[in-house]
PDB file of all heavy atoms in Angstrom:
ATOM      1  N   GLY A 150      20.681   9.290  36.373  1.00 54.00           N
ATOM      2  CA  GLY A 150      21.158  10.475  37.063  1.00 54.00           C
ATOM      3  C   GLY A 150      20.645  11.783  36.519  1.00 54.00           C
ATOM      4  O   GLY A 150      21.017  12.840  37.008  1.00 54.00           O
ATOM      5  N   GLN A 151      19.761  11.754  35.487  1.00 58.00           N
ATOM      6  CA  GLN A 151      19.296  12.993  34.875  1.00 58.00           C
ATOM      7  C   GLN A 151      17.907  13.403  35.356  1.00 58.00           C
ATOM      8  O   GLN A 151      17.468  14.507  35.094  1.00 58.00           O
ATOM      9  CB  GLN A 151      19.238  12.853  33.356  1.00 58.00           C
ATOM     10  CG  GLN A 151      20.572  12.537  32.733  1.00 58.00           C
ATOM     11  CD  GLN A 151      20.433  12.375  31.234  1.00 58.00           C
ATOM     12  OE1 GLN A 151      19.709  13.117  30.596  1.00 58.00           O
ATOM     13  NE2 GLN A 151      21.115  11.409  30.682  1.00 58.00           N
ATOM     14  N   GLY A 152      17.188  12.521  35.996  1.00 61.00           N
ATOM     15  CA  GLY A 152      15.784  12.772  36.250  1.00 61.00           C
ATOM     16  C   GLY A 152      15.451  13.077  37.680  1.00 61.00           C
ATOM     17  O   GLY A 152      16.292  13.467  38.485  1.00 61.00           O
ATOM     18  N   GLN A 153      14.145  12.914  37.951  1.00 67.00           N
ATOM     19  CA  GLN A 153      13.632  13.171  39.270  1.00 67.00           C
ATOM     20  C   GLN A 153      12.550  12.140  39.555  1.00 67.00           C
ATOM     21  O   GLN A 153      12.013  11.519  38.639  1.00 67.00           O
ATOM     22  CB  GLN A 153      13.021  14.571  39.314  1.00 67.00           C
ATOM     23  CG  GLN A 153      11.936  14.779  38.260  1.00 67.00           C
ATOM     24  CD  GLN A 153      11.558  16.224  38.074  1.00 67.00           C
ATOM     25  OE1 GLN A 153      11.834  17.052  38.902  1.00 67.00           O
ATOM     26  NE2 GLN A 153      10.909  16.530  36.955  1.00 67.00           N
ATOM     27  N   GLN A 154      12.248  11.964  40.792  1.00 68.00           N
ATOM     28  CA  GLN A 154      11.210  11.023  41.164  1.00 68.00           C
ATOM     29  C   GLN A 154       9.849  11.648  40.908  1.00 68.00           C
ATOM     30  O   GLN A 154       9.558  12.751  41.383  1.00 68.00           O
ATOM     31  CB  GLN A 154      11.334  10.660  42.648  1.00 68.00           C
ATOM     32  CG  GLN A 154      10.332   9.633  43.129  1.00 68.00           C
ATOM     33  CD  GLN A 154      10.560   8.266  42.522  1.00 68.00           C
ATOM     34  OE1 GLN A 154      11.696   7.827  42.374  1.00 68.00           O
ATOM     35  NE2 GLN A 154       9.488   7.592  42.153  1.00 68.00           N
ATOM     36  N   ALA A 155       9.000  10.977  40.122  1.00 68.00           N
ATOM     37  CA  ALA A 155       7.656  11.502  39.885  1.00 68.00           C
ATOM     38  C   ALA A 155       6.881  11.486  41.188  1.00 68.00           C
ATOM     39  O   ALA A 155       6.990  10.548  41.980  1.00 68.00           O
ATOM     40  CB  ALA A 155       6.943  10.651  38.842  1.00 68.00           C
ATOM     41  N   PRO A 156       6.080  12.537  41.453  1.00 73.00           N
ATOM     42  CA  PRO A 156       5.313  12.564  42.700  1.00 73.00           C
ATOM     43  C   PRO A 156       4.196  11.532  42.682  1.00 73.00           C
ATOM     44  O   PRO A 156       3.757  11.103  41.620  1.00 73.00           O
ATOM     45  CB  PRO A 156       4.749  13.988  42.712  1.00 73.00           C
ATOM     46  CG  PRO A 156       4.649  14.359  41.264  1.00 73.00           C
ATOM     47  CD  PRO A 156       5.831  13.707  40.604  1.00 73.00           C
ATOM     48  N   ALA A 157       3.754  11.144  43.858  1.00 74.00           N
ATOM     49  CA  ALA A 157       2.585  10.281  43.933  1.00 74.00           C
ATOM     50  C   ALA A 157       1.385  11.033  43.384  1.00 74.00           C
ATOM     51  O   ALA A 157       1.315  12.271  43.465  1.00 74.00           O
ATOM     52  CB  ALA A 157       2.332   9.870  45.385  1.00 74.00           C
ATOM     53  N   SER A 158       0.432  10.285  42.820  1.00 74.00           N
ATOM     54  CA  SER A 158      -0.717  10.913  42.177  1.00 74.00           C
ATOM     55  C   SER A 158      -1.446  11.865  43.122  1.00 74.00           C
ATOM     56  O   SER A 158      -1.753  13.008  42.759  1.00 74.00           O
ATOM     57  CB  SER A 158      -1.682   9.837  41.665  1.00 74.00           C
ATOM     58  OG  SER A 158      -2.825  10.422  41.110  1.00 74.00           O
ATOM     59  N   GLU A 159      -1.695  11.411  44.358  1.00 75.00           N
ATOM     60  CA  GLU A 159      -2.470  12.254  45.277  1.00 75.00           C
ATOM     61  C   GLU A 159      -1.713  13.532  45.635  1.00 75.00           C
ATOM     62  O   GLU A 159      -2.317  14.598  45.836  1.00 75.00           O
ATOM     63  CB  GLU A 159      -2.833  11.483  46.545  1.00 75.00           C
ATOM     64  CG  GLU A 159      -1.660  10.942  47.333  1.00 75.00           C
ATOM     65  CD  GLU A 159      -1.229   9.566  46.873  1.00 75.00           C
ATOM     66  OE1 GLU A 159      -1.520   9.208  45.717  1.00 75.00           O
ATOM     67  OE2 GLU A 159      -0.597   8.844  47.676  1.00 75.00           O
ATOM     68  N   ASN A 160      -0.392  13.445  45.699  1.00 87.00           N
ATOM     69  CA  ASN A 160       0.388  14.644  46.012  1.00 87.00           C
ATOM     70  C   ASN A 160       0.385  15.644  44.855  1.00 87.00           C
ATOM     71  O   ASN A 160       0.335  16.859  45.071  1.00 87.00           O
ATOM     72  CB  ASN A 160       1.829  14.259  46.354  1.00 87.00           C
ATOM     73  CG  ASN A 160       1.912  13.454  47.631  1.00 87.00           C
ATOM     74  OD1 ASN A 160       1.022  13.535  48.485  1.00 87.00           O
ATOM     75  ND2 ASN A 160       2.952  12.655  47.762  1.00 87.00           N
ATOM     76  N   PHE A 161       0.448  15.117  43.643  1.00 93.00           N
ATOM     77  CA  PHE A 161       0.481  16.002  42.486  1.00 93.00           C
ATOM     78  C   PHE A 161      -0.839  16.759  42.324  1.00 93.00           C
ATOM     79  O   PHE A 161      -0.856  17.950  42.011  1.00 93.00           O
ATOM     80  CB  PHE A 161       0.772  15.210  41.206  1.00 93.00           C
ATOM     81  CG  PHE A 161       0.777  16.061  39.960  1.00 93.00           C
ATOM     82  CD1 PHE A 161       1.889  16.806  39.614  1.00 93.00           C
ATOM     83  CD2 PHE A 161      -0.357  16.137  39.146  1.00 93.00           C
ATOM     84  CE1 PHE A 161       1.889  17.607  38.486  1.00 93.00           C
ATOM     85  CE2 PHE A 161      -0.366  16.933  38.008  1.00 93.00           C
ATOM     86  CZ  PHE A 161       0.763  17.665  37.676  1.00 93.00           C
ATOM     87  N   TRP A 162      -1.962  16.071  42.549  1.00 95.00           N
ATOM     88  CA  TRP A 162      -3.263  16.652  42.239  1.00 95.00           C
ATOM     89  C   TRP A 162      -3.898  17.405  43.420  1.00 95.00           C
ATOM     90  O   TRP A 162      -4.925  18.079  43.243  1.00 95.00           O
ATOM     91  CB  TRP A 162      -4.224  15.555  41.776  1.00 95.00           C
ATOM     92  CG  TRP A 162      -3.788  14.947  40.475  1.00 95.00           C
ATOM     93  CD1 TRP A 162      -3.122  13.766  40.303  1.00 95.00           C
ATOM     94  CD2 TRP A 162      -3.946  15.512  39.166  1.00 95.00           C
ATOM     95  NE1 TRP A 162      -2.860  13.555  38.970  1.00 95.00           N
ATOM     96  CE2 TRP A 162      -3.357  14.614  38.255  1.00 95.00           C
ATOM     97  CE3 TRP A 162      -4.516  16.690  38.682  1.00 95.00           C
ATOM     98  CZ2 TRP A 162      -3.334  14.861  36.878  1.00 95.00           C
ATOM     99  CZ3 TRP A 162      -4.498  16.932  37.312  1.00 95.00           C
ATOM    100  CH2 TRP A 162      -3.909  16.027  36.426  1.00 95.00           C
ATOM    101  N   ALA A 163      -3.303  17.316  44.594  1.00 92.00           N
ATOM    102  CA  ALA A 163      -3.943  17.836  45.801  1.00 92.00           C
ATOM    103  C   ALA A 163      -4.328  19.311  45.693  1.00 92.00           C
ATOM    104  O   ALA A 163      -5.407  19.717  46.130  1.00 92.00           O
ATOM    105  CB  ALA A 163      -3.019  17.625  46.995  1.00 92.00           C
ATOM    106  N   ASP A 164      -3.479  20.139  45.093  1.00 92.00           N
ATOM    107  CA  ASP A 164      -3.749  21.583  45.045  1.00 92.00           C
ATOM    108  C   ASP A 164      -4.108  22.065  43.644  1.00 92.00           C
ATOM    109  O   ASP A 164      -4.085  23.271  43.369  1.00 92.00           O
ATOM    110  CB  ASP A 164      -2.537  22.358  45.548  1.00 92.00           C
ATOM    111  CG  ASP A 164      -1.295  22.099  44.701  1.00 92.00           C
ATOM    112  OD1 ASP A 164      -1.317  21.150  43.888  1.00 92.00           O
ATOM    113  OD2 ASP A 164      -0.304  22.841  44.845  1.00 92.00           O
ATOM    114  N   LYS A 165      -4.433  21.134  42.763  1.00 95.00           N
ATOM    115  CA  LYS A 165      -4.729  21.518  41.381  1.00 95.00           C
ATOM    116  C   LYS A 165      -6.227  21.763  41.197  1.00 95.00           C
ATOM    117  O   LYS A 165      -7.065  21.117  41.833  1.00 95.00           O
ATOM    118  CB  LYS A 165      -4.277  20.404  40.421  1.00 95.00           C
ATOM    119  CG  LYS A 165      -2.802  20.042  40.520  1.00 95.00           C
ATOM    120  CD  LYS A 165      -1.901  21.194  40.146  1.00 95.00           C
ATOM    121  CE  LYS A 165      -0.442  20.785  40.005  1.00 95.00           C
ATOM    122  NZ  LYS A 165       0.143  20.213  41.231  1.00 95.00           N
ATOM    123  N   LYS A 166      -6.560  22.733  40.333  1.00 96.00           N
ATOM    124  CA  LYS A 166      -7.953  23.028  40.019  1.00 96.00           C
ATOM    125  C   LYS A 166      -8.078  23.437  38.554  1.00 96.00           C
ATOM    126  O   LYS A 166      -7.081  23.801  37.902  1.00 96.00           O
ATOM    127  CB  LYS A 166      -8.463  24.155  40.911  1.00 96.00           C
ATOM    128  CG  LYS A 166      -7.713  25.471  40.722  1.00 96.00           C
ATOM    129  CD  LYS A 166      -8.261  26.542  41.639  1.00 96.00           C
ATOM    130  CE  LYS A 166      -7.531  27.869  41.402  1.00 96.00           C
ATOM    131  NZ  LYS A 166      -8.031  28.941  42.298  1.00 96.00           N
ATOM    132  N   SER A 167      -9.305  23.389  38.044  1.00 98.00           N
ATOM    133  CA  SER A 167      -9.544  23.782  36.655  1.00 98.00           C
ATOM    134  C   SER A 167      -9.364  25.284  36.489  1.00 98.00           C
ATOM    135  O   SER A 167      -9.834  26.081  37.316  1.00 98.00           O
ATOM    136  CB  SER A 167     -10.962  23.377  36.250  1.00 98.00           C
ATOM    137  OG  SER A 167     -11.283  23.911  34.977  1.00 98.00           O
ATOM    138  N   ASN A 168      -8.701  25.660  35.383  1.00 98.00           N
ATOM    139  CA  ASN A 168      -8.490  27.072  35.073  1.00 98.00           C
ATOM    140  C   ASN A 168      -9.312  27.531  33.875  1.00 98.00           C
ATOM    141  O   ASN A 168      -9.171  28.659  33.413  1.00 98.00           O
ATOM    142  CB  ASN A 168      -7.004  27.320  34.790  1.00 98.00           C
ATOM    143  CG  ASN A 168      -6.148  27.037  36.014  1.00 98.00           C
ATOM    144  OD1 ASN A 168      -6.518  27.394  37.133  1.00 98.00           O
ATOM    145  ND2 ASN A 168      -5.010  26.375  35.814  1.00 98.00           N
ATOM    146  N   GLY A 169     -10.129  26.624  33.331  1.00 98.00           N
ATOM    147  CA  GLY A 169     -10.983  27.002  32.207  1.00 98.00           C
ATOM    148  C   GLY A 169     -10.256  27.115  30.884  1.00 98.00           C
ATOM    149  O   GLY A 169     -10.795  27.666  29.925  1.00 98.00           O
ATOM    150  N   GLN A 170      -9.060  26.551  30.792  1.00 98.00           N
ATOM    151  CA  GLN A 170      -8.291  26.601  29.549  1.00 98.00           C
ATOM    152  C   GLN A 170      -7.234  25.511  29.560  1.00 98.00           C
ATOM    153  O   GLN A 170      -6.851  25.009  30.626  1.00 98.00           O
ATOM    154  CB  GLN A 170      -7.602  27.964  29.410  1.00 98.00           C
ATOM    155  CG  GLN A 170      -6.634  28.253  30.546  1.00 98.00           C
ATOM    156  CD  GLN A 170      -6.018  29.637  30.445  1.00 98.00           C
ATOM    157  OE1 GLN A 170      -6.140  30.323  29.436  1.00 98.00           O
ATOM    158  NE2 GLN A 170      -5.336  30.063  31.496  1.00 98.00           N
ATOM    159  N   LEU A 171      -6.778  25.156  28.373  1.00 98.00           N
ATOM    160  CA  LEU A 171      -5.652  24.221  28.279  1.00 98.00           C
ATOM    161  C   LEU A 171      -5.023  24.340  26.908  1.00 98.00           C
ATOM    162  O   LEU A 171      -5.649  24.813  25.955  1.00 98.00           O
ATOM    163  CB  LEU A 171      -6.090  22.784  28.555  1.00 98.00           C
ATOM    164  CG  LEU A 171      -6.881  22.026  27.483  1.00 98.00           C
ATOM    165  CD1 LEU A 171      -5.969  21.137  26.650  1.00 98.00           C
ATOM    166  CD2 LEU A 171      -7.958  21.166  28.120  1.00 98.00           C
ATOM    167  N   ARG A 172      -3.768  23.889  26.831  1.00 98.00           N
ATOM    168  CA  ARG A 172      -3.002  23.891  25.580  1.00 98.00           C
ATOM    169  C   ARG A 172      -2.703  22.446  25.213  1.00 98.00           C
ATOM    170  O   ARG A 172      -2.160  21.699  26.014  1.00 98.00           O
ATOM    171  CB  ARG A 172      -1.701  24.679  25.771  1.00 98.00           C
ATOM    172  CG  ARG A 172      -1.927  26.131  26.212  1.00 98.00           C
ATOM    173  CD  ARG A 172      -0.703  26.701  26.887  1.00 98.00           C
ATOM    174  NE  ARG A 172      -0.362  25.944  28.079  1.00 98.00           N
ATOM    175  CZ  ARG A 172       0.767  26.115  28.785  1.00 98.00           C
ATOM    176  NH1 ARG A 172       1.649  27.005  28.393  1.00 98.00           N
ATOM    177  NH2 ARG A 172       0.996  25.384  29.857  1.00 98.00           N
ATOM    178  N   PHE A 173      -3.080  22.059  23.982  1.00 98.00           N
ATOM    179  CA  PHE A 173      -3.033  20.664  23.542  1.00 98.00           C
ATOM    180  C   PHE A 173      -2.072  20.560  22.365  1.00 98.00           C
ATOM    181  O   PHE A 173      -2.324  21.114  21.295  1.00 98.00           O
ATOM    182  CB  PHE A 173      -4.445  20.213  23.154  1.00 98.00           C
ATOM    183  CG  PHE A 173      -4.581  18.782  22.713  1.00 98.00           C
ATOM    184  CD1 PHE A 173      -3.577  17.845  22.901  1.00 98.00           C
ATOM    185  CD2 PHE A 173      -5.757  18.360  22.117  1.00 98.00           C
ATOM    186  CE1 PHE A 173      -3.724  16.525  22.511  1.00 98.00           C
ATOM    187  CE2 PHE A 173      -5.925  17.049  21.710  1.00 98.00           C
ATOM    188  CZ  PHE A 173      -4.905  16.131  21.899  1.00 98.00           C
ATOM    189  N   ALA A 174      -0.959  19.851  22.552  1.00 98.00           N
ATOM    190  CA  ALA A 174       0.037  19.642  21.491  1.00 98.00           C
ATOM    191  C   ALA A 174      -0.167  18.264  20.880  1.00 98.00           C
ATOM    192  O   ALA A 174      -0.105  17.247  21.580  1.00 98.00           O
ATOM    193  CB  ALA A 174       1.449  19.769  22.054  1.00 98.00           C
ATOM    194  N   ASN A 175      -0.385  18.233  19.560  1.00 97.00           N
ATOM    195  CA  ASN A 175      -0.648  16.968  18.882  1.00 97.00           C
ATOM    196  C   ASN A 175       0.171  16.910  17.607  1.00 97.00           C
ATOM    197  O   ASN A 175       0.913  17.835  17.271  1.00 97.00           O
ATOM    198  CB  ASN A 175      -2.155  16.856  18.577  1.00 97.00           C
ATOM    199  CG  ASN A 175      -2.626  15.422  18.433  1.00 97.00           C
ATOM    200  OD1 ASN A 175      -1.825  14.495  18.303  1.00 97.00           O
ATOM    201  ND2 ASN A 175      -3.936  15.233  18.458  1.00 97.00           N
ATOM    202  N   TRP A 176       0.023  15.791  16.875  1.00 90.00           N
ATOM    203  CA  TRP A 176       0.714  15.607  15.602  1.00 90.00           C
ATOM    204  C   TRP A 176      -0.103  16.243  14.475  1.00 90.00           C
ATOM    205  O   TRP A 176      -1.314  16.390  14.600  1.00 90.00           O
ATOM    206  CB  TRP A 176       0.888  14.116  15.329  1.00 90.00           C
ATOM    207  CG  TRP A 176       1.701  13.412  16.345  1.00 90.00           C
ATOM    208  CD1 TRP A 176       1.292  13.025  17.592  1.00 90.00           C
ATOM    209  CD2 TRP A 176       3.050  13.008  16.222  1.00 90.00           C
ATOM    210  NE1 TRP A 176       2.315  12.409  18.249  1.00 90.00           N
ATOM    211  CE2 TRP A 176       3.408  12.371  17.433  1.00 90.00           C
ATOM    212  CE3 TRP A 176       4.000  13.112  15.215  1.00 90.00           C
ATOM    213  CZ2 TRP A 176       4.675  11.852  17.655  1.00 90.00           C
ATOM    214  CZ3 TRP A 176       5.264  12.584  15.426  1.00 90.00           C
ATOM    215  CH2 TRP A 176       5.591  11.967  16.640  1.00 90.00           C
ATOM    216  N   PRO A 177       0.543  16.581  13.364  1.00 84.00           N
ATOM    217  CA  PRO A 177      -0.204  17.133  12.228  1.00 84.00           C
ATOM    218  C   PRO A 177      -1.271  16.165  11.735  1.00 84.00           C
ATOM    219  O   PRO A 177      -1.058  14.941  11.707  1.00 84.00           O
ATOM    220  CB  PRO A 177       0.882  17.337  11.162  1.00 84.00           C
ATOM    221  CG  PRO A 177       2.150  17.476  11.936  1.00 84.00           C
ATOM    222  CD  PRO A 177       1.995  16.563  13.121  1.00 84.00           C
ATOM    223  N   LEU A 178      -2.401  16.724  11.353  1.00 79.00           N
ATOM    224  CA  LEU A 178      -3.473  15.954  10.716  1.00 79.00           C
ATOM    225  C   LEU A 178      -3.962  14.807  11.578  1.00 79.00           C
ATOM    226  O   LEU A 178      -4.305  13.738  11.089  1.00 79.00           O
ATOM    227  CB  LEU A 178      -3.007  15.446   9.347  1.00 79.00           C
ATOM    228  CG  LEU A 178      -2.501  16.530   8.403  1.00 79.00           C
ATOM    229  CD1 LEU A 178      -1.817  15.943   7.191  1.00 79.00           C
ATOM    230  CD2 LEU A 178      -3.634  17.450   8.003  1.00 79.00           C
ATOM    231  N   TYR A 179      -4.010  15.036  12.880  1.00 90.00           N
ATOM    232  CA  TYR A 179      -4.482  14.000  13.798  1.00 90.00           C
ATOM    233  C   TYR A 179      -5.817  14.405  14.425  1.00 90.00           C
ATOM    234  O   TYR A 179      -6.250  13.810  15.404  1.00 90.00           O
ATOM    235  CB  TYR A 179      -3.445  13.766  14.894  1.00 90.00           C
ATOM    236  CG  TYR A 179      -3.162  12.311  15.179  1.00 90.00           C
ATOM    237  CD1 TYR A 179      -3.683  11.282  14.404  1.00 90.00           C
ATOM    238  CD2 TYR A 179      -2.343  11.937  16.242  1.00 90.00           C
ATOM    239  CE1 TYR A 179      -3.409   9.964  14.667  1.00 90.00           C
ATOM    240  CE2 TYR A 179      -2.059  10.618  16.526  1.00 90.00           C
ATOM    241  CZ  TYR A 179      -2.590   9.640  15.728  1.00 90.00           C
ATOM    242  OH  TYR A 179      -2.314   8.318  16.005  1.00 90.00           O
ATOM    243  N   MET A 180      -6.440  15.427  13.822  1.00 93.00           N
ATOM    244  CA  MET A 180      -7.777  15.846  14.227  1.00 93.00           C
ATOM    245  C   MET A 180      -8.386  16.623  13.068  1.00 93.00           C
ATOM    246  O   MET A 180      -7.679  17.338  12.355  1.00 93.00           O
ATOM    247  CB  MET A 180      -7.729  16.702  15.497  1.00 93.00           C
ATOM    248  CG  MET A 180      -9.104  17.143  15.994  1.00 93.00           C
ATOM    249  SD  MET A 180      -9.027  18.025  17.570  1.00 93.00           S
ATOM    250  CE  MET A 180      -8.721  16.670  18.701  1.00 93.00           C
ATOM    251  N   ASP A 181      -9.684  16.469  12.879  1.00 92.00           N
ATOM    252  CA  ASP A 181     -10.393  17.220  11.855  1.00 92.00           C
ATOM    253  C   ASP A 181     -10.026  18.700  11.958  1.00 92.00           C
ATOM    254  O   ASP A 181     -10.046  19.267  13.060  1.00 92.00           O
ATOM    255  CB  ASP A 181     -11.902  17.037  12.074  1.00 92.00           C
ATOM    256  CG  ASP A 181     -12.734  17.651  10.955  1.00 92.00           C
ATOM    257  OD1 ASP A 181     -12.437  18.780  10.541  1.00 92.00           O
ATOM    258  OD2 ASP A 181     -13.688  16.987  10.517  1.00 92.00           O
TER     259      ASP A 181
END
Side-chain angles (χ1 to χ4, degrees):
Q151 300 178 40
Q153 56 194 342
Q154 183 67 40
S158 177
E159 59 272 23
N160 294 336
F161 178 81
W162 294 100
D164 61 347
K165 303 297 190 300
K166 62 180 182 181
S167 172
N168 297 318
Q170 60 183 349
L171 75 97
R172 302 158 299 171
F173 182 13
N175 204 346
W176 299 77
L178 305 169
Y179 225 7
M180 181 175 285
D181 187 315

